[in-house]
Amino acid sequence: MWEWLAAPIDPDRVHEVGTQLSWHARLMVFAWGGCVPIGILAARFFKIWPGQSWPRQLDNRTWWHIHRICQYGGGVLMVIALVLILTAPPPTLSPQAILPGPHAWFGWIVLSLALVQISSGVLRGSKGGPDEAGSGEILPGDHYDMTRHRLIFEYIHKFAGYAAVLLSIAAILTGLYQANGPNWMWLTLLLWWGLLLSAFIAFQRRGMAVDTYEAIWGPDKEHPGNRRRPIGVGVRRLGSSDSERV
């Protein structure tokens, strides 16, 4: 059993990629297999934190801090991994590890989508809403007013984010095959992705994918964003008649 786990997936090739390539792979897997999906799970399912007395308690930002740390952390790891692969010397025993092919194509597409995600997040616009100082004033903002700017951001950020995660799976698997990774790596990844998928399905069935707008400002129809349908597949509202899935 241990011999099989340590053996490369393709017995006709060696698994020898060098230090920089191996660290490129580790960092990319940690970024896209760990940080990014955890950040997405936090953003999708934990807008209302467990134990939070919603709607009496609004705008719990724990999900936001987790999402931001995971996504920016993943971005830093991606940059380091990209530098490593671009500066790596040609491997002596496994030149196929860096040849152009599906892994390179998927990789560049995923990195491009990551750049879109980071850029859109920075340019997402202002927040607005009831004055947090308690003055009773309603402050204008792209998010509170759900301006065209905010709508474009939400569609791009959400759908490009899920596309990037799905394509990252293809990038990881093609890279692992290109490097002729051992069987234990394939098995570990499949188990981890199975765990993430199981968590996603369980949280979705429990109705935890709550609209960001409602989680922040509550269900009252006086808030302009609550008069729109929530953006995103499977996203719902808890306190209005607009809780249908879209």
Side-chain angles (χ1 to χ4, degrees):
M1 182 65 178
W2 293 111
E3 290 183 0
W4 178 84
L5 288 172
I9 192 71
D10 183 355
D12 295 329
R13 293 187 288 131
V14 295
H15 171 61
E16 182 61 49
V17 294
T19 301
Q20 285 185 238
L21 270 67
S22 63
W23 275 104
H24 161 82
R26 291 167 187 156
L27 294 178
M28 283 296 191
V29 169
F30 190 73
W32 283 101
C35 292
V36 172
I38 289 174
I40 288 177
L41 287 177
R44 182 175 178 86
F45 296 115
F46 291 92
K47 300 282 177 49
I48 297 176
W49 196 252
Q52 178 184 342
S53 181
W54 185 93
R56 187 174 62 84
Q57 297 174 331
L58 299 172
D59 197 12
N60 187 319
R61 301 180 188 178
T62 304
W63 72 269
W64 162 243
H65 296 309
I66 296 173
H67 180 71
R68 183 174 55 177
I69 291 171
C70 286
Q71 308 314 76
Y72 284 144
V76 171
L77 295 177
M78 281 182 272
V79 171
I80 297 173
L82 183 61
V83 171
L84 287 173
I85 194 64
L86 293 179
T87 60
T92 57
L93 296 177
S94 185
Q96 70 274 15
I98 59 172
L99 289 176
H103 174 64
W105 303 333
F106 282 124
W108 284 114
I109 293 172
V110 168
L111 288 176
S112 298
L113 289 173
L115 182 60
V116 170
Q117 289 300 95
I118 294 172
S119 301
S120 65
V122 172
L123 301 173
R124 66 187 179 277
S126 57
K127 182 180 179 181
D131 184 11
E132 295 180 0
S135 66
E137 181 182 4
I138 301 295
L139 304 176
D142 290 299
H143 195 181
Y144 183 75
D145 297 322
M146 290 303 286
T147 63
R148 182 185 298 271
H149 182 105
R150 178 70 191 193
L151 291 173
I152 292 173
F153 157 74
E154 291 217 8
Y155 279 108
I156 291 176
H157 196 71
K158 289 182 178 180
F159 290 102
Y162 288 117
V165 169
L166 293 176
L167 289 171
S168 73
I169 295 175
I172 290 172
L173 292 179
T174 53
L176 191 58
Y177 182 79
Q178 200 163 290
N180 202 23
N183 291 308
W184 72 264
M185 292 183 181
W186 295 84
L187 184 60
T188 301
L189 280 172
L190 291 176
L191 290 173
W192 171 245
W193 283 330
L195 178 62
L196 290 176
L197 180 60
S198 299
F200 187 99
I201 294 173
F203 295 153
Q204 187 67 40
R205 287 181 173 175
R206 293 181 64 182
M208 294 172 62
V210 178
D211 179 44
T212 309
Y213 193 98
E214 189 186 44
I216 293 175
W217 288 294
D220 201 315
K221 286 284 191 175
E222 71 176 3
H223 304 305
N226 284 334
R227 296 192 288 270
R228 289 181 172 272
R229 296 179 70 184
I231 297 173
V233 177
V235 176
R236 71 186 190 116
R237 292 205 176 103
L238 298 177
S240 73
S241 60
D242 295 329
S243 61
E244 73 247 21
R245 302 195 173 206
V246 297

